[in-house]
Amino acid sequence: MRGLINYGTHCSINSIVQCLYETCELRDLILSVDEREYQAHNTVAMNLKALIREMKENDRLPCDPGFLIDSMSVYSGMSFKIQEDSDLVFTCIINALADGHRTGKGIGKLWDIECEEHMRCLSCNKVRSVLKNANSIPLLIDGALSNELQEYMKQYADNTRTACDWHCTNCHRKTQLEITSKVVSLPPVVCMKLGRVKNTGRDTAHIVKMGTRFAFPETVDLKYIMKGPEASVSAIYELYAVVAHCGTHYSGHYTAYLRCGIQGWYLADDAHVRLCSWADVQNTYEAGSNLYDRVVYMLMYHRKSSSH
Protein backbone atom coordinates (compact mmCIF):
# COMPACT_ATOMS: atom_id res chain seq x y z
CA MET A 1 0.00 0.00 0.00
CA ARG A 2 1.03 3.59 -0.62
CA GLY A 3 0.12 6.67 1.37
CA LEU A 4 -1.44 9.88 0.05
CA ILE A 5 -0.14 13.43 0.54
CA ASN A 6 -2.36 15.68 2.69
CA TYR A 7 -2.28 19.38 1.83
CA GLY A 8 -3.82 20.27 5.19
CA THR A 9 -7.56 19.59 4.95
CA HIS A 10 -7.78 16.50 2.76
CA CYS A 11 -7.62 13.60 5.24
CA SER A 12 -11.26 12.67 4.52
CA ILE A 13 -10.53 12.55 0.76
CA ASN A 14 -7.40 10.46 1.33
CA SER A 15 -9.30 8.00 3.52
CA ILE A 16 -12.10 7.55 0.98
CA VAL A 17 -9.62 7.13 -1.89
CA GLN A 18 -7.83 4.37 0.07
CA CYS A 19 -11.21 2.63 0.57
CA LEU A 20 -11.98 2.90 -3.15
CA TYR A 21 -8.54 1.55 -4.00
CA GLU A 22 -9.22 -1.54 -1.86
CA THR A 23 -12.60 -2.01 -3.60
CA CYS A 24 -11.36 -4.55 -6.15
CA GLU A 25 -14.52 -4.26 -8.28
CA LEU A 26 -13.92 -0.54 -8.77
CA ARG A 27 -10.17 -0.92 -9.20
CA ASP A 28 -10.76 -3.28 -12.13
CA LEU A 29 -13.41 -1.09 -13.79
CA ILE A 30 -11.76 2.31 -13.35
CA LEU A 31 -8.73 1.27 -15.40
CA SER A 32 -10.98 0.76 -18.45
CA VAL A 33 -12.72 4.14 -18.18
CA ASP A 34 -12.47 6.37 -21.27
CA GLU A 35 -12.55 10.17 -21.01
CA ARG A 36 -15.04 10.30 -23.91
CA GLU A 37 -17.68 8.88 -21.54
CA TYR A 38 -17.79 12.13 -19.57
CA GLN A 39 -18.60 15.76 -20.21
CA ALA A 40 -15.67 18.14 -20.39
CA HIS A 41 -16.12 19.60 -16.88
CA ASN A 42 -16.15 16.16 -15.21
CA THR A 43 -12.59 14.82 -15.05
CA VAL A 44 -12.97 13.04 -11.69
CA ALA A 45 -12.95 9.56 -13.25
CA MET A 46 -9.81 10.14 -15.32
CA ASN A 47 -7.91 11.66 -12.38
CA LEU A 48 -8.99 8.83 -10.08
CA LYS A 49 -7.89 6.35 -12.75
CA ALA A 50 -4.45 7.98 -12.95
CA LEU A 51 -4.14 8.06 -9.15
CA ILE A 52 -5.12 4.40 -8.72
CA ARG A 53 -2.70 3.42 -11.47
CA GLU A 54 0.06 5.29 -9.61
CA MET A 55 -0.94 3.67 -6.30
CA LYS A 56 -0.50 0.24 -7.92
CA GLU A 57 3.14 0.95 -8.73
CA ASN A 58 5.76 -0.66 -6.51
CA ASP A 59 7.00 2.49 -4.82
CA ARG A 60 7.03 3.48 -1.15
CA LEU A 61 6.68 7.21 -1.75
CA PRO A 62 3.19 8.69 -1.09
CA CYS A 63 1.05 9.60 -4.09
CA ASP A 64 -0.24 13.10 -4.83
CA PRO A 65 -4.09 13.34 -5.02
CA GLY A 66 -3.96 17.03 -6.00
CA PHE A 67 -5.36 16.63 -9.55
CA LEU A 68 -8.24 14.49 -8.26
CA ILE A 69 -9.10 17.07 -5.59
CA ASP A 70 -9.06 19.88 -8.17
CA SER A 71 -11.43 17.93 -10.44
CA MET A 72 -13.75 17.19 -7.50
CA SER A 73 -13.86 20.90 -6.75
CA VAL A 74 -14.81 21.73 -10.36
CA TYR A 75 -17.46 18.98 -10.44
CA SER A 76 -19.10 19.76 -7.07
CA GLY A 77 -18.52 23.50 -6.76
CA MET A 78 -16.84 23.00 -3.36
CA SER A 79 -13.32 24.27 -2.77
CA PHE A 80 -12.27 21.55 -0.28
CA LYS A 81 -10.14 24.19 1.45
CA ILE A 82 -11.89 23.19 4.65
CA GLN A 83 -12.24 19.59 5.79
CA GLU A 84 -15.42 17.97 4.44
CA ASP A 85 -17.19 14.98 5.96
CA SER A 86 -16.20 11.58 4.61
CA ASP A 87 -19.75 10.75 3.49
CA LEU A 88 -19.90 13.94 1.40
CA VAL A 89 -16.56 13.08 -0.22
CA PHE A 90 -17.73 9.52 -0.96
CA THR A 91 -21.00 10.74 -2.52
CA CYS A 92 -19.19 13.35 -4.62
CA ILE A 93 -16.79 10.80 -6.13
CA ILE A 94 -19.41 8.08 -6.72
CA ASN A 95 -21.85 10.52 -8.35
CA ALA A 96 -19.09 11.87 -10.59
CA LEU A 97 -18.10 8.35 -11.67
CA ALA A 98 -21.74 7.33 -12.28
CA ASP A 99 -22.22 10.25 -14.69
CA GLY A 100 -20.34 8.28 -17.35
CA HIS A 101 -22.14 6.60 -20.24
CA ARG A 102 -20.78 3.05 -20.13
CA THR A 103 -18.15 1.95 -17.61
CA GLY A 104 -19.03 4.88 -15.35
CA LYS A 105 -22.61 3.68 -14.92
CA GLY A 106 -21.29 0.24 -14.03
CA ILE A 107 -19.10 1.76 -11.34
CA GLY A 108 -22.06 3.68 -9.92
CA LYS A 109 -24.08 0.47 -9.64
CA LEU A 110 -21.42 -1.15 -7.44
CA TRP A 111 -23.01 0.63 -4.45
CA ASP A 112 -26.56 1.02 -5.80
CA ILE A 113 -29.10 -0.11 -3.18
CA GLU A 114 -32.73 -0.29 -4.36
CA CYS A 115 -35.29 0.28 -1.59
CA GLU A 116 -39.07 0.23 -1.45
CA GLU A 117 -40.70 2.70 0.94
CA HIS A 118 -44.28 2.40 2.16
CA MET A 119 -45.81 5.63 3.46
CA ARG A 120 -49.10 5.40 5.36
CA CYS A 121 -51.21 8.41 6.33
CA LEU A 122 -52.19 8.02 9.99
CA SER A 123 -55.49 9.83 9.35
CA CYS A 124 -56.97 7.97 6.39
CA ASN A 125 -54.57 4.97 6.22
CA LYS A 126 -53.86 5.63 2.54
CA VAL A 127 -50.64 3.80 1.61
CA ARG A 128 -48.27 4.99 -1.09
CA SER A 129 -45.24 3.00 -2.23
CA VAL A 130 -42.18 4.34 -4.01
CA LEU A 131 -38.88 2.84 -5.19
CA LYS A 132 -35.74 4.71 -4.22
CA ASN A 133 -32.04 4.24 -4.87
CA ALA A 134 -29.26 5.00 -2.42
CA ASN A 135 -25.51 4.42 -2.32
CA SER A 136 -25.36 3.69 1.42
CA ILE A 137 -27.28 2.40 4.42
CA PRO A 138 -27.65 4.92 7.28
CA LEU A 139 -26.98 3.59 10.78
CA LEU A 140 -28.66 5.54 13.57
CA ILE A 141 -27.10 5.40 17.02
CA ASP A 142 -29.81 7.24 18.96
CA GLY A 143 -30.60 4.25 21.20
CA ALA A 144 -33.79 3.06 19.48
CA LEU A 145 -31.97 0.17 17.78
CA SER A 146 -29.16 -2.16 18.85
CA ASN A 147 -25.55 -0.96 18.98
CA GLU A 148 -24.38 -4.29 17.49
CA LEU A 149 -24.51 -4.29 13.68
CA GLN A 150 -25.91 -7.80 13.11
CA GLU A 151 -28.66 -7.31 15.68
CA TYR A 152 -29.26 -3.82 14.27
CA MET A 153 -29.95 -5.37 10.85
CA LYS A 154 -32.53 -7.73 12.37
CA GLN A 155 -34.31 -4.86 14.13
CA TYR A 156 -34.02 -2.59 11.09
CA ALA A 157 -36.45 -4.84 9.20
CA ASP A 158 -39.23 -4.14 11.72
CA ASN A 159 -38.38 -0.49 12.29
CA THR A 160 -40.81 2.28 11.33
CA ARG A 161 -40.36 5.99 11.56
CA THR A 162 -42.88 8.81 11.75
CA ALA A 163 -42.75 12.07 9.87
CA CYS A 164 -44.68 15.04 11.26
CA ASP A 165 -46.41 17.92 9.47
CA TRP A 166 -47.49 15.83 6.49
CA HIS A 167 -50.25 17.13 4.25
CA CYS A 168 -52.13 14.15 2.83
CA THR A 169 -53.41 14.62 -0.73
CA ASN A 170 -56.06 11.94 -0.14
CA CYS A 171 -57.81 13.18 3.03
CA HIS A 172 -56.48 16.76 2.71
CA ARG A 173 -55.44 16.90 6.34
CA LYS A 174 -52.28 18.00 8.07
CA THR A 175 -51.29 14.80 9.78
CA GLN A 176 -48.44 12.36 10.39
CA LEU A 177 -46.89 9.82 8.06
CA GLU A 178 -45.67 6.34 9.01
CA ILE A 179 -42.75 5.17 6.87
CA THR A 180 -41.41 1.63 6.54
CA SER A 181 -38.57 0.63 4.25
CA LYS A 182 -37.38 -2.66 2.73
CA VAL A 183 -34.38 -3.35 0.50
CA VAL A 184 -35.33 -4.82 -2.88
CA SER A 185 -31.81 -5.53 -4.13
CA LEU A 186 -28.30 -5.32 -2.69
CA PRO A 187 -25.19 -4.38 -4.71
CA PRO A 188 -21.80 -6.13 -4.74
CA VAL A 189 -20.44 -3.54 -2.29
CA VAL A 190 -22.38 -2.05 0.62
CA CYS A 191 -21.43 1.21 2.32
CA MET A 192 -22.84 2.00 5.77
CA LYS A 193 -22.66 5.46 7.34
CA LEU A 194 -23.02 6.08 11.06
CA GLY A 195 -24.98 9.14 12.16
CA ARG A 196 -22.56 10.46 14.77
CA VAL A 197 -23.62 14.11 14.59
CA LYS A 198 -26.36 15.37 16.88
CA ASN A 199 -27.90 18.80 17.24
CA THR A 200 -28.52 19.41 20.93
CA GLY A 201 -29.86 22.93 20.44
CA ARG A 202 -31.60 25.09 17.88
CA ASP A 203 -28.58 26.24 15.90
CA THR A 204 -25.28 24.87 14.60
CA ALA A 205 -23.43 26.05 17.70
CA HIS A 206 -24.92 23.06 19.54
CA ILE A 207 -23.89 20.36 17.07
CA VAL A 208 -21.88 17.65 18.82
CA LYS A 209 -20.16 14.44 17.78
CA MET A 210 -21.32 11.28 19.56
CA GLY A 211 -18.72 8.72 20.56
CA THR A 212 -21.41 6.15 21.41
CA ARG A 213 -20.39 2.50 21.11
CA PHE A 214 -21.33 0.71 17.88
CA ALA A 215 -19.82 -2.73 17.29
CA PHE A 216 -19.45 -4.32 13.87
CA PRO A 217 -18.30 -7.84 12.87
CA GLU A 218 -15.98 -8.91 10.06
CA THR A 219 -18.92 -10.81 8.52
CA VAL A 220 -22.58 -9.72 8.48
CA ASP A 221 -25.77 -11.23 7.03
CA LEU A 222 -28.00 -8.61 5.39
CA LYS A 223 -30.88 -10.92 4.46
CA TYR A 224 -32.93 -9.45 7.32
CA ILE A 225 -33.39 -6.11 5.57
CA MET A 226 -34.46 -7.70 2.26
CA LYS A 227 -38.03 -7.71 0.98
CA GLY A 228 -40.14 -10.82 0.37
CA PRO A 229 -38.57 -13.82 -1.42
CA GLU A 230 -35.16 -12.18 -1.46
CA ALA A 231 -35.09 -12.33 2.36
CA SER A 232 -34.82 -16.14 2.28
CA VAL A 233 -31.51 -15.96 0.44
CA SER A 234 -28.40 -15.51 2.57
CA ALA A 235 -26.64 -12.25 1.84
CA ILE A 236 -23.29 -12.60 3.57
CA TYR A 237 -20.93 -9.62 3.35
CA GLU A 238 -17.33 -9.29 4.54
CA LEU A 239 -15.81 -6.15 5.99
CA TYR A 240 -12.84 -4.70 4.10
CA ALA A 241 -12.73 -0.98 4.94
CA VAL A 242 -13.45 1.25 7.94
CA VAL A 243 -13.25 5.05 7.97
CA ALA A 244 -12.59 6.44 11.45
CA HIS A 245 -12.48 9.96 12.91
CA CYS A 246 -10.85 11.54 15.94
CA GLY A 247 -11.43 15.00 17.37
CA THR A 248 -14.61 17.10 17.51
CA HIS A 249 -17.26 17.73 14.86
CA TYR A 250 -15.58 21.04 14.00
CA SER A 251 -11.95 19.95 14.10
CA GLY A 252 -10.64 16.44 13.64
CA HIS A 253 -8.82 13.91 11.51
CA TYR A 254 -9.91 10.97 9.30
CA THR A 255 -8.03 7.70 8.83
CA ALA A 256 -8.88 4.41 7.11
CA TYR A 257 -8.46 0.78 8.18
CA LEU A 258 -8.17 -1.57 5.20
CA ARG A 259 -8.06 -5.32 4.86
CA CYS A 260 -5.61 -6.21 2.10
CA GLY A 261 -6.40 -9.83 1.30
CA ILE A 262 -4.36 -12.40 3.19
CA GLN A 263 -1.94 -9.71 4.35
CA GLY A 264 -4.41 -8.58 6.99
CA TRP A 265 -5.37 -5.10 8.20
CA TYR A 266 -3.52 -1.85 7.53
CA LEU A 267 -3.99 1.67 8.89
CA ALA A 268 -3.79 4.40 6.23
CA ASP A 269 -3.12 7.79 7.83
CA ASP A 270 -2.47 10.16 4.92
CA ALA A 271 1.14 9.61 3.81
CA HIS A 272 1.77 6.94 6.46
CA VAL A 273 0.65 3.33 6.11
CA ARG A 274 1.37 0.60 8.64
CA LEU A 275 0.29 -2.93 9.47
CA CYS A 276 -2.29 -3.21 12.26
CA SER A 277 -4.59 -5.86 13.76
CA TRP A 278 -8.31 -6.61 13.93
CA ALA A 279 -8.12 -5.61 17.60
CA ASP A 280 -6.96 -2.13 16.47
CA VAL A 281 -9.99 -1.91 14.18
CA GLN A 282 -12.28 -2.95 17.05
CA ASN A 283 -10.91 -0.08 19.12
CA THR A 284 -12.95 2.25 16.87
CA TYR A 285 -16.25 0.89 18.26
CA GLU A 286 -16.49 3.86 20.61
CA ALA A 287 -14.61 6.97 21.70
CA GLY A 288 -13.53 7.56 25.27
CA SER A 289 -12.80 10.88 26.94
CA ASN A 290 -9.65 11.35 24.84
CA LEU A 291 -10.27 13.50 21.74
CA TYR A 292 -7.61 11.50 19.90
CA ASP A 293 -9.58 8.26 20.18
CA ARG A 294 -10.58 7.08 16.71
CA VAL A 295 -14.25 6.18 16.29
CA VAL A 296 -15.93 4.49 13.31
CA TYR A 297 -17.79 6.72 10.84
CA MET A 298 -18.17 4.51 7.77
CA LEU A 299 -18.08 0.78 6.95
CA MET A 300 -17.63 -0.96 3.60
CA TYR A 301 -18.53 -4.62 3.02
CA HIS A 302 -17.97 -6.91 -0.01
CA ARG A 303 -20.51 -9.57 -0.93
CA LYS A 304 -18.83 -12.79 0.15
CA SER A 305 -17.69 -15.04 -2.68
CA SER A 306 -14.98 -17.56 -3.40
CA SER A 307 -12.82 -14.78 -4.89
CA HIS A 308 -12.76 -12.77 -1.64
Side-chain angles (χ1 to χ4, degrees):
M1 288 185 62
R2 295 180 66 179
L4 295 169
I5 298 170
N6 184 356
Y7 289 99
T9 58
H10 301 142
C11 56
S12 58
I13 297 176
N14 289 347
S15 297
I16 293 298
V17 168
Q18 291 284 14
C19 293
L20 296 180
Y21 179 78
E22 285 304 320
T23 306
C24 56
E25 297 88 346
L26 176 137
R27 197 169 61 218
D28 296 338
L29 283 172
I30 195 70
L31 296 178
S32 62
V33 163
D34 191 298
E35 63 181 346
R36 290 171 293 184
E37 292 187 40
Y38 296 89
Q39 296 181 6
H41 73 280
N42 183 2
T43 59
V44 174
M46 299 311 298
N47 283 306
L48 181 62
K49 175 182 178 178
L51 181 58
I52 285 181
R53 182 174 285 164
E54 183 184 357
M55 292 169 72
K56 286 170 68 72
E57 294 176 1
N58 189 19
D59 193 325
R60 297 199 175 197
L61 293 175
C63 301
D64 187 348
F67 288 115
L68 172 64
I69 296 169
D70 290 341
S71 61
M72 289 170 60
S73 181
V74 172
Y75 176 80
S76 65
M78 295 180 291
S79 68
F80 294 103
K81 291 182 179 179
I82 60 172
Q83 180 178 280
E84 299 291 352
D85 289 340
S86 57
D87 59 340
L88 187 146
V89 172
F90 172 75
T91 301
C92 174
I93 295 177
I94 297 305
N95 286 347
L97 296 176
D99 279 349
H101 299 306
R102 295 183 297 277
T103 308
K105 289 193 181 299
I107 293 175
K109 289 180 180 179
L110 290 178
W111 284 271
D112 206 1
I113 303 167
E114 187 177 18
C115 301
E116 185 177 77
E117 281 194 350
H118 297 279
M119 298 170 285
R120 181 173 69 90
C121 172
L122 296 185
S123 291
C124 65
N125 288 323
K126 175 72 174 180
V127 177
R128 178 170 169 255
S129 299
V130 293
L131 286 175
K132 291 187 174 182
N133 287 71
N135 57 27
S136 63
I137 296 175
L139 301 176
L140 306 177
I141 52 175
D142 56 3
L145 297 175
S146 174
N147 63 353
E148 303 278 343
L149 181 60
Q150 186 61 81
E151 190 61 31
Y152 184 102
M153 290 294 110
K154 294 178 182 179
Q155 297 174 4
Y156 180 92
D158 301 319
N159 187 44
T160 60
R161 61 186 190 277
T162 303
C164 301
D165 299 328
W166 168 258
H167 184 270
C168 180
T169 56
N170 184 60
C171 63
H172 303 289
R173 294 180 182 176
K174 187 176 180 181
T175 179
Q176 290 184 321
L177 194 67
E178 183 185 80
I179 304 172
T180 57
S181 180
K182 285 282 188 179
V183 173
V184 177
S185 64
L186 284 168
V189 186
V190 171
C191 175
M192 303 181 187
K193 302 175 182 177
L194 277 78
R196 288 206 175 272
V197 176
K198 183 177 182 180
N199 189 354
T200 59
R202 297 195 175 190
D203 53 50
T204 56
H206 292 89
I207 290 181
V208 296
K209 169 188 166 184
M210 297 183 292
T212 310
R213 175 183 170 84
F214 192 89
F216 49 89
E218 288 190 276
T219 303
V220 64
D221 192 345
L222 299 182
K223 68 179 180 182
Y224 303 100
I225 63 174
M226 301 290 290
K227 175 193 174 186
E230 294 84 358
S232 61
V233 180
S234 178
I236 305 295
Y237 282 74
E238 292 182 314
L239 182 69
Y240 73 95
V242 176
V243 175
H245 182 269
C246 63
T248 69
H249 170 65
Y250 298 100
S251 176
H253 183 64
Y254 284 98
T255 51
Y257 292 88
L258 307 147
R259 191 182 63 192
C260 305
I262 61 174
Q263 298 177 53
W265 286 93
Y266 283 80
L267 171 63
D269 185 352
D270 290 330
H272 306 285
V273 179
R274 66 172 176 84
L275 189 67
C276 66
S277 66
W278 170 238
D280 293 324
V281 181
Q282 290 176 300
N283 285 336
T284 67
Y285 284 175
E286 62 184 322
S289 57
N290 191 336
L291 284 177
Y292 295 100
D293 288 342
R294 297 188 179 100
V295 63
V296 57
Y297 255 57
M298 186 181 291
L299 303 167
M300 289 194 187
Y301 282 84
H302 281 294
R303 180 183 285 129
K304 187 175 182 179
S305 67
S306 57
S307 62
H308 292 147

